[in-house]
Amino acid sequence: MTSQTAPPPVEDERRTPRRQLPRLVVGGRDVTSGVGFVVALVLLVVLAAVTTENFLTEQNLTNLLRQMVTVGLLAYGMLVVILTAGIDLSVGSVVAFSGIVSAGLVADLPIPLALAVGVAAGIGFGLVNGLLIAGFDLAPFVVTLAALTTIRGLAFVYSEVPIAPEDPGFFTLGTALAGPIPVPTLIMIGVFVVGGIFLTRTPAGRAIVAIGGNRETVRLAGISVKKHLVLAYTISGTCAGLAGVILASRVGIAQPSVGVAFELDAIAACVIGGASLAGGRGSVRATLGGVIVLSLINNLLNLHGVQSFWQQVLKGLIIIAVIIVQRRSMGERA
Amino acid sequence: MTLRIRGVRKSFGQVEVLHGIDLLAEKGEVLAVVGANGAGKSTLIKILAGAQPASEGELWLDGERLDLRSPHDAHEAGIRTVYQELTLVPELTVTENLLIGSLPRRAGLIDWAAAHRRAQELLDELGFGAVRATTKAGRLSVARQQMVEIAKALVSEPKVLVLDEPSAVLAGSDLDSLFALVRRLQERGVIVIYISHRLAEVAALANSIVVIRDGTVVATTTPAETDESELIALMAGRRLERIYPDRRPAAGDTVLSVRGLTRAGEFEDVSFELRAGEIVGLFGLVGAGRSELAHCLFGDTRPDGGSVRLDGAELQPDGPRAAIRSGLALVTEDRKRTGIVASMTVRDNIALATMRATMRGPLIDGARQGARVAGMVRRFDIRPAHSAAMRIDRLSGGNQQKAILAKWLLAGPRVLILDEPTRGVDMATRVDIYRTVDELARSGCTVLLISSDLTEVIGATDRVLVMHDGRIAGELDSAGATEDQVLARSIGEAAA
């Protein structure tokens, strides 16, 4: 009698169940089915193709595919964390640390091992973030903000100057092509596919999504909230480590200062993809869509030779515009 | 000055919870409203407070028809309500809490000296001099905070003061101050609507008493004309027609044995046994310690003493996970906060506790999980019928509750603890829930049904345990028990 505020029952019997295609929607609606999203994507592509001569060249498209890898990997990890109602601000610093460590180790270790150590560093940082957040019940924002500065500092401690390994084997991972498609892009797509299956089809993935919806309910259902929070941050750290190693390998030079504000691009990609920062809602496919939109914007501005500070300004405004268009077309709150 | 409530009805969706309430209170009158939990008292209060508009009916005060659409409207009309739940801002001082919005200023800045002085005067005048105006509200005891709440309601000198269970957190001299204050307000001509479970208090304070049951006024009387046992009988009323399955108590083996379970401040020395296939009710008023006991049995909180044995083996309080493995399940009282994951589908919610039951390799076997969930949707008649892919918060409360039950049924519990499973649930869904619980018990599951609904706690069970003030105050056979017997034990009275 006290709490009769439940929403009115939906009695819409005519609505047929949605097609049961394998969806990579993990909570709530799939944003990529939203008209606004498709419109935004098409608009960007048309705009790029019409206003520039170079957009549709093979070289530019390959570049585009390569450049989206970093944000893409970070965005998947960020999505996992955001689904738990958390945030990982440390990923940009992890990119720098993993890159510079693997570049530095090339002198002493076999290349695959040096790269593996870079990724392992990302796993380790993610694990520590997760343990601090879950174990001490600390706010994710605060912990990963502290990690952002700590890890950035560690990257400079490791090497104040950029490291450019001379062994050409170091560039293989970042620059290899499989047919017309860059290998890093395939790795990123692999992460999204496996990651999508993880979030939709495994108990751990479902638990992560559920935690963001209502962690008390999850806990009382006998599922360890802490364990899954640690897992989520470890996944994010792993993605960041991988992104850092691939970036260093692609550019051929690892800088301790790289990756500043990358976390914001990753968050933006998730949000453009309809993820809710309150947790429990987000889509793997739409996040990939968000990554593509962001990369298109970057590419477009580069082709137009827009000065980099103006790029930042325009990018911010475009992100807001995309989100507004998209949410309005979905009829949901922004 | 007269407060008149005429033919007030209130519906939530299809369910009408107040069926035409009539009340009349004159200037300087203390009108007590009594009734069992769920009788409709709180809804009536909310209507008076402007927190929920009435669906039908009229409110008149001082010859004027009131149209209360918000708490602000009620304040404007001179009606102030003090709820059971405290609403003070703990970080602010008592002064700020009392005078917020009307703090005295000097040269544009708040004149703190004058503000504290005014607040203290107000408290002293109300007989709450024990409260210092300069203290932060959060540092006061619950009883003192309650006093500040009352003082806050009186700042604007209301014509009507509604007190919802004001004595629940007060004791001893604090209680005396409250009574003295009510009498003083009475002399000033304020109409006091006094809601309470404590009948002795009602008899001492009230000019007239209104008994509400099932959303209807069943009696209007005065302390002189009635006594406590009559009030209890009026509150409990007669038994409804049988909407409960026929129960034939099974004399199975003892499954759960609780010995001397104690958790400081929540419950004390609780002992009872549950047998296989039994449905045992646990009744108690708000604050008696029922839900706290349920969470402790479920391993969610650690007891300070005592033991819980399941099939003779001691249960370690290692959290919900261990409890579920041992065969316990808990449907919590608060559906929204601890029952559902609102952002997920009905299917995800039903499968939540048993995701690992349908694995194929490292992945969840979608087809098998879907079939299990579909079976539950059919068994419980969860509507709409294709709701498995819908977000659970699009369903009605009753259907959400069915989904939560389905979640736990999939886990195959040996002991199922249900905490207020039918709160806010319509009658048809209730009947479904009772039927399912009965089926479960027949298949050997043991059910502990915690409820503050008297009819339910007797009708749907084999035995009833009654809690009062953190202790088991009695045990009754449901077959012979009457509602007033249960109610009497729950308020600490001897057997009626």
Side-chain angles (χ1 to χ4, degrees), chain A residues 207-255:
Chain A
I208 282 173
V209 179
I211 284 169
N214 187 338
R215 71 168 62 186
E216 262 313 279
T217 299
V218 172
R219 195 176 63 78
L220 291 172
I223 296 168
S224 167
V225 171
K226 293 187 176 191
K227 199 179 87 183
H228 289 98
L229 282 180
V230 173
L231 179 61
Y233 286 92
T234 307
I235 288 173
S236 180
T238 308
C239 289
L242 193 58
V245 169
I246 290 175
L247 181 64
S249 166
R250 171 163 71 85
V251 182
I253 181 166
Q255 302 189 48

Short mmCIF file of all heavy atoms in Angstrom, two decimals, chain A residues 207-255:
data_model
loop_
_atom_site.label_atom_id
_atom_site.label_comp_id
_atom_site.label_asym_id
_atom_site.label_seq_id
_atom_site.Cartn_x
_atom_site.Cartn_y
_atom_site.Cartn_z
N ALA A 207 26.87 -10.53 -15.13
CA ALA A 207 26.98 -10.01 -13.76
C ALA A 207 27.47 -8.56 -13.80
O ALA A 207 26.97 -7.70 -13.07
CB ALA A 207 27.92 -10.88 -12.94
N ILE A 208 28.44 -8.29 -14.68
CA ILE A 208 28.98 -6.92 -14.79
C ILE A 208 27.87 -5.95 -15.20
O ILE A 208 27.73 -4.87 -14.62
CB ILE A 208 30.15 -6.90 -15.80
CG1 ILE A 208 31.40 -7.46 -15.12
CG2 ILE A 208 30.40 -5.49 -16.33
CD1 ILE A 208 32.59 -7.65 -16.03
N VAL A 209 27.06 -6.35 -16.17
CA VAL A 209 25.96 -5.49 -16.60
C VAL A 209 24.95 -5.30 -15.45
O VAL A 209 24.47 -4.19 -15.20
CB VAL A 209 25.25 -6.08 -17.83
CG1 VAL A 209 24.09 -5.20 -18.25
CG2 VAL A 209 26.23 -6.25 -18.98
N ALA A 210 24.67 -6.40 -14.76
CA ALA A 210 23.66 -6.34 -13.70
C ALA A 210 24.13 -5.46 -12.53
O ALA A 210 23.34 -4.74 -11.92
CB ALA A 210 23.33 -7.75 -13.20
N ILE A 211 25.42 -5.51 -12.24
CA ILE A 211 25.96 -4.72 -11.13
C ILE A 211 25.68 -3.24 -11.36
O ILE A 211 25.31 -2.51 -10.44
CB ILE A 211 27.47 -4.96 -10.98
CG1 ILE A 211 27.72 -6.32 -10.33
CG2 ILE A 211 28.13 -3.86 -10.15
CD1 ILE A 211 29.15 -6.79 -10.37
N GLY A 212 25.82 -2.80 -12.62
CA GLY A 212 25.55 -1.40 -12.91
C GLY A 212 24.09 -1.06 -12.76
O GLY A 212 23.71 0.09 -12.53
N GLY A 213 23.22 -2.06 -12.91
CA GLY A 213 21.78 -1.82 -12.77
C GLY A 213 21.37 -1.74 -11.31
O GLY A 213 20.63 -0.85 -10.91
N ASN A 214 21.83 -2.71 -10.52
CA ASN A 214 21.45 -2.73 -9.11
C ASN A 214 22.37 -3.68 -8.36
O ASN A 214 22.15 -4.88 -8.34
CB ASN A 214 20.00 -3.17 -8.96
CG ASN A 214 19.50 -3.03 -7.53
OD1 ASN A 214 20.29 -2.99 -6.59
ND2 ASN A 214 18.21 -2.96 -7.36
N ARG A 215 23.39 -3.12 -7.74
CA ARG A 215 24.39 -4.02 -7.16
C ARG A 215 23.88 -4.75 -5.92
O ARG A 215 24.34 -5.85 -5.62
CB ARG A 215 25.70 -3.30 -6.89
CG ARG A 215 25.70 -2.31 -5.76
CD ARG A 215 27.12 -1.90 -5.44
NE ARG A 215 27.77 -1.25 -6.57
CZ ARG A 215 29.04 -0.90 -6.58
NH1 ARG A 215 29.81 -1.16 -5.55
NH2 ARG A 215 29.56 -0.28 -7.61
N GLU A 216 22.92 -4.17 -5.21
CA GLU A 216 22.37 -4.87 -4.05
C GLU A 216 21.66 -6.15 -4.48
O GLU A 216 21.80 -7.21 -3.87
CB GLU A 216 21.37 -3.96 -3.30
CG GLU A 216 21.94 -3.24 -2.10
CD GLU A 216 22.73 -4.12 -1.16
OE1 GLU A 216 22.16 -4.83 -0.32
OE2 GLU A 216 23.97 -4.11 -1.28
N THR A 217 20.85 -6.02 -5.51
CA THR A 217 20.12 -7.19 -6.01
C THR A 217 21.10 -8.27 -6.45
O THR A 217 20.91 -9.46 -6.17
CB THR A 217 19.23 -6.78 -7.19
OG1 THR A 217 18.29 -5.82 -6.74
CG2 THR A 217 18.49 -7.98 -7.77
N VAL A 218 22.17 -7.85 -7.11
CA VAL A 218 23.17 -8.81 -7.59
C VAL A 218 23.84 -9.50 -6.41
O VAL A 218 24.00 -10.72 -6.38
CB VAL A 218 24.21 -8.08 -8.46
CG1 VAL A 218 25.36 -9.00 -8.81
CG2 VAL A 218 23.54 -7.55 -9.72
N ARG A 219 24.19 -8.72 -5.42
CA ARG A 219 24.85 -9.29 -4.25
C ARG A 219 23.95 -10.31 -3.56
O ARG A 219 24.37 -11.40 -3.19
CB ARG A 219 25.20 -8.16 -3.26
CG ARG A 219 26.19 -8.52 -2.18
CD ARG A 219 26.51 -7.29 -1.35
NE ARG A 219 25.34 -6.78 -0.66
CZ ARG A 219 24.84 -7.32 0.45
NH1 ARG A 219 25.41 -8.36 1.00
NH2 ARG A 219 23.77 -6.81 1.02
N LEU A 220 22.67 -9.94 -3.42
CA LEU A 220 21.74 -10.85 -2.75
C LEU A 220 21.39 -12.05 -3.61
O LEU A 220 20.79 -13.00 -3.14
CB LEU A 220 20.47 -10.09 -2.33
CG LEU A 220 20.68 -9.06 -1.21
CD1 LEU A 220 19.44 -8.22 -1.01
CD2 LEU A 220 21.06 -9.76 0.09
N ALA A 221 21.75 -12.00 -4.89
CA ALA A 221 21.55 -13.17 -5.74
C ALA A 221 22.77 -14.10 -5.66
O ALA A 221 22.87 -15.05 -6.41
CB ALA A 221 21.30 -12.75 -7.19
N GLY A 222 23.67 -13.82 -4.73
CA GLY A 222 24.78 -14.71 -4.51
C GLY A 222 25.94 -14.48 -5.47
O GLY A 222 26.79 -15.36 -5.62
N ILE A 223 25.97 -13.34 -6.14
CA ILE A 223 27.05 -13.04 -7.08
C ILE A 223 28.01 -12.05 -6.42
O ILE A 223 27.56 -11.04 -5.86
CB ILE A 223 26.48 -12.43 -8.38
CG1 ILE A 223 25.59 -13.48 -9.07
CG2 ILE A 223 27.60 -11.99 -9.30
CD1 ILE A 223 24.75 -12.91 -10.19
N SER A 224 29.30 -12.33 -6.48
CA SER A 224 30.28 -11.45 -5.85
C SER A 224 30.45 -10.17 -6.65
O SER A 224 30.95 -10.17 -7.77
CB SER A 224 31.63 -12.17 -5.72
OG SER A 224 32.62 -11.22 -5.40
N VAL A 225 30.01 -9.07 -6.06
CA VAL A 225 30.13 -7.78 -6.74
C VAL A 225 31.60 -7.38 -6.84
O VAL A 225 32.07 -6.92 -7.89
CB VAL A 225 29.32 -6.71 -5.97
CG1 VAL A 225 29.61 -5.32 -6.53
CG2 VAL A 225 27.83 -7.01 -6.04
N LYS A 226 32.34 -7.61 -5.76
CA LYS A 226 33.75 -7.19 -5.74
C LYS A 226 34.54 -7.89 -6.84
O LYS A 226 35.30 -7.26 -7.57
CB LYS A 226 34.36 -7.51 -4.37
CG LYS A 226 33.74 -6.66 -3.31
CD LYS A 226 34.41 -6.81 -1.97
CE LYS A 226 33.73 -5.82 -1.04
NZ LYS A 226 34.31 -5.59 0.19
N LYS A 227 34.37 -9.19 -6.93
CA LYS A 227 35.14 -9.96 -7.91
C LYS A 227 34.89 -9.41 -9.32
O LYS A 227 35.82 -9.24 -10.11
CB LYS A 227 34.70 -11.43 -7.83
CG LYS A 227 35.68 -12.39 -8.43
CD LYS A 227 35.17 -13.82 -8.28
CE LYS A 227 34.27 -14.19 -9.44
NZ LYS A 227 33.71 -15.52 -9.32
N HIS A 228 33.65 -9.11 -9.60
CA HIS A 228 33.33 -8.66 -10.95
C HIS A 228 33.77 -7.23 -11.21
O HIS A 228 34.07 -6.87 -12.34
CB HIS A 228 31.84 -8.86 -11.23
CG HIS A 228 31.47 -10.30 -11.37
ND1 HIS A 228 30.94 -11.04 -10.35
CD2 HIS A 228 31.61 -11.15 -12.42
CE1 HIS A 228 30.76 -12.28 -10.75
NE2 HIS A 228 31.16 -12.38 -12.00
N LEU A 229 33.80 -6.42 -10.15
CA LEU A 229 34.34 -5.08 -10.32
C LEU A 229 35.83 -5.15 -10.65
O LEU A 229 36.33 -4.47 -11.54
CB LEU A 229 34.14 -4.25 -9.04
CG LEU A 229 32.74 -3.69 -8.82
CD1 LEU A 229 32.69 -2.89 -7.51
CD2 LEU A 229 32.32 -2.81 -9.97
N VAL A 230 36.56 -6.00 -9.92
CA VAL A 230 37.99 -6.17 -10.19
C VAL A 230 38.18 -6.63 -11.63
O VAL A 230 39.03 -6.11 -12.37
CB VAL A 230 38.61 -7.20 -9.20
CG1 VAL A 230 40.05 -7.49 -9.60
CG2 VAL A 230 38.55 -6.67 -7.78
N LEU A 231 37.35 -7.58 -12.04
CA LEU A 231 37.44 -8.08 -13.42
C LEU A 231 37.23 -6.95 -14.43
O LEU A 231 37.97 -6.82 -15.41
CB LEU A 231 36.40 -9.19 -13.63
CG LEU A 231 36.34 -9.81 -15.02
CD1 LEU A 231 37.67 -10.47 -15.36
CD2 LEU A 231 35.21 -10.83 -15.11
N ALA A 232 36.23 -6.11 -14.18
CA ALA A 232 35.92 -5.04 -15.12
C ALA A 232 37.10 -4.09 -15.30
O ALA A 232 37.47 -3.74 -16.42
CB ALA A 232 34.69 -4.27 -14.66
N TYR A 233 37.71 -3.67 -14.19
CA TYR A 233 38.84 -2.73 -14.29
C TYR A 233 40.06 -3.41 -14.90
O TYR A 233 40.86 -2.76 -15.58
CB TYR A 233 39.14 -2.11 -12.93
CG TYR A 233 38.10 -1.08 -12.57
CD1 TYR A 233 36.97 -1.44 -11.84
CD2 TYR A 233 38.19 0.22 -13.03
CE1 TYR A 233 35.97 -0.53 -11.56
CE2 TYR A 233 37.21 1.15 -12.76
CZ TYR A 233 36.10 0.77 -12.03
OH TYR A 233 35.11 1.67 -11.77
N THR A 234 40.20 -4.72 -14.63
CA THR A 234 41.32 -5.44 -15.24
C THR A 234 41.15 -5.51 -16.75
O THR A 234 42.11 -5.36 -17.51
CB THR A 234 41.41 -6.86 -14.64
OG1 THR A 234 41.46 -6.76 -13.22
CG2 THR A 234 42.66 -7.58 -15.14
N ILE A 235 39.91 -5.70 -17.19
CA ILE A 235 39.65 -5.72 -18.64
C ILE A 235 40.01 -4.35 -19.24
O ILE A 235 40.67 -4.26 -20.27
CB ILE A 235 38.18 -6.07 -18.91
CG1 ILE A 235 37.94 -7.55 -18.61
CG2 ILE A 235 37.81 -5.75 -20.37
CD1 ILE A 235 36.48 -7.97 -18.67
N SER A 236 39.60 -3.28 -18.55
CA SER A 236 39.90 -1.95 -19.07
C SER A 236 41.41 -1.72 -19.12
O SER A 236 41.94 -1.21 -20.12
CB SER A 236 39.23 -0.89 -18.18
OG SER A 236 39.52 0.39 -18.67
N GLY A 237 42.11 -2.14 -18.08
CA GLY A 237 43.56 -1.99 -18.06
C GLY A 237 44.22 -2.79 -19.17
O GLY A 237 45.16 -2.33 -19.83
N THR A 238 43.71 -3.99 -19.40
CA THR A 238 44.25 -4.85 -20.45
C THR A 238 44.10 -4.18 -21.82
O THR A 238 45.04 -4.14 -22.63
CB THR A 238 43.51 -6.20 -20.46
OG1 THR A 238 43.54 -6.74 -19.15
CG2 THR A 238 44.17 -7.17 -21.43
N CYS A 239 42.92 -3.65 -22.07
CA CYS A 239 42.66 -2.98 -23.34
C CYS A 239 43.60 -1.79 -23.51
O CYS A 239 44.14 -1.56 -24.59
CB CYS A 239 41.21 -2.49 -23.42
SG CYS A 239 40.03 -3.83 -23.60
N ALA A 240 43.81 -1.06 -22.41
CA ALA A 240 44.68 0.11 -22.48
C ALA A 240 46.12 -0.31 -22.75
O ALA A 240 46.84 0.33 -23.54
CB ALA A 240 44.58 0.92 -21.19
N GLY A 241 46.56 -1.37 -22.10
CA GLY A 241 47.91 -1.88 -22.32
C GLY A 241 48.11 -2.29 -23.77
O GLY A 241 49.10 -1.93 -24.42
N LEU A 242 47.13 -3.01 -24.29
CA LEU A 242 47.18 -3.45 -25.68
C LEU A 242 47.22 -2.24 -26.61
O LEU A 242 48.01 -2.19 -27.56
CB LEU A 242 45.95 -4.33 -25.96
CG LEU A 242 45.92 -5.14 -27.24
CD1 LEU A 242 47.12 -6.09 -27.30
CD2 LEU A 242 44.62 -5.95 -27.32
N ALA A 243 46.37 -1.27 -26.33
CA ALA A 243 46.31 -0.06 -27.16
C ALA A 243 47.65 0.66 -27.15
O ALA A 243 48.13 1.13 -28.18
CB ALA A 243 45.20 0.86 -26.66
N GLY A 244 48.27 0.72 -25.98
CA GLY A 244 49.55 1.42 -25.85
C GLY A 244 50.64 0.76 -26.66
O GLY A 244 51.42 1.43 -27.36
N VAL A 245 50.70 -0.57 -26.57
CA VAL A 245 51.72 -1.32 -27.29
C VAL A 245 51.53 -1.17 -28.80
O VAL A 245 52.47 -0.93 -29.55
CB VAL A 245 51.66 -2.79 -26.85
CG1 VAL A 245 52.53 -3.65 -27.76
CG2 VAL A 245 52.11 -2.93 -25.40
N ILE A 246 50.28 -1.29 -29.24
CA ILE A 246 50.00 -1.19 -30.67
C ILE A 246 50.31 0.21 -31.18
O ILE A 246 50.91 0.39 -32.24
CB ILE A 246 48.52 -1.56 -30.96
CG1 ILE A 246 48.32 -3.06 -30.72
CG2 ILE A 246 48.14 -1.18 -32.40
CD1 ILE A 246 46.88 -3.51 -30.87
N LEU A 247 49.96 1.22 -30.38
CA LEU A 247 50.22 2.60 -30.80
C LEU A 247 51.72 2.85 -30.96
O LEU A 247 52.17 3.40 -31.97
CB LEU A 247 49.63 3.58 -29.78
CG LEU A 247 49.81 5.06 -30.11
CD1 LEU A 247 49.06 5.42 -31.39
CD2 LEU A 247 49.34 5.95 -28.96
N ALA A 248 52.50 2.41 -29.97
CA ALA A 248 53.95 2.61 -30.03
C ALA A 248 54.53 1.90 -31.24
O ALA A 248 55.38 2.43 -31.96
CB ALA A 248 54.60 2.10 -28.74
N SER A 249 54.03 0.70 -31.48
CA SER A 249 54.52 -0.09 -32.60
C SER A 249 54.15 0.55 -33.94
O SER A 249 54.91 0.51 -34.90
CB SER A 249 53.95 -1.50 -32.50
OG SER A 249 54.12 -2.20 -33.70
N ARG A 250 52.99 1.16 -34.00
CA ARG A 250 52.54 1.78 -35.25
C ARG A 250 53.34 3.05 -35.54
O ARG A 250 53.81 3.26 -36.65
CB ARG A 250 51.05 2.13 -35.16
CG ARG A 250 50.56 2.97 -36.34
CD ARG A 250 49.05 2.95 -36.45
NE ARG A 250 48.37 3.69 -35.40
CZ ARG A 250 48.15 5.00 -35.46
NH1 ARG A 250 48.58 5.71 -36.47
NH2 ARG A 250 47.52 5.60 -34.48
N VAL A 251 53.50 3.87 -34.51
CA VAL A 251 54.18 5.14 -34.69
C VAL A 251 55.69 4.93 -34.78
O VAL A 251 56.41 5.73 -35.38
CB VAL A 251 53.84 6.10 -33.53
CG1 VAL A 251 54.51 7.44 -33.72
CG2 VAL A 251 52.33 6.27 -33.44
N GLY A 252 56.17 3.86 -34.15
CA GLY A 252 57.58 3.55 -34.17
C GLY A 252 58.38 4.28 -33.12
O GLY A 252 59.58 4.11 -32.99
N ILE A 253 57.68 5.07 -32.34
CA ILE A 253 58.37 5.80 -31.29
C ILE A 253 57.42 5.88 -30.10
O ILE A 253 56.23 6.18 -30.26
CB ILE A 253 58.79 7.20 -31.79
CG1 ILE A 253 59.55 7.95 -30.68
CG2 ILE A 253 57.62 8.02 -32.25
CD1 ILE A 253 60.28 9.18 -31.21
N ALA A 254 57.93 5.54 -28.93
CA ALA A 254 57.09 5.57 -27.73
C ALA A 254 57.40 6.83 -26.93
O ALA A 254 58.55 7.10 -26.62
CB ALA A 254 57.34 4.33 -26.88
N GLN A 255 56.33 7.60 -26.62
CA GLN A 255 56.54 8.83 -25.88
C GLN A 255 55.86 8.74 -24.52
O GLN A 255 54.74 8.27 -24.42
CB GLN A 255 55.92 10.01 -26.63
CG GLN A 255 56.48 10.16 -28.03
CD GLN A 255 56.03 11.45 -28.65
OE1 GLN A 255 56.10 12.50 -28.03
NE2 GLN A 255 55.57 11.38 -29.88
#
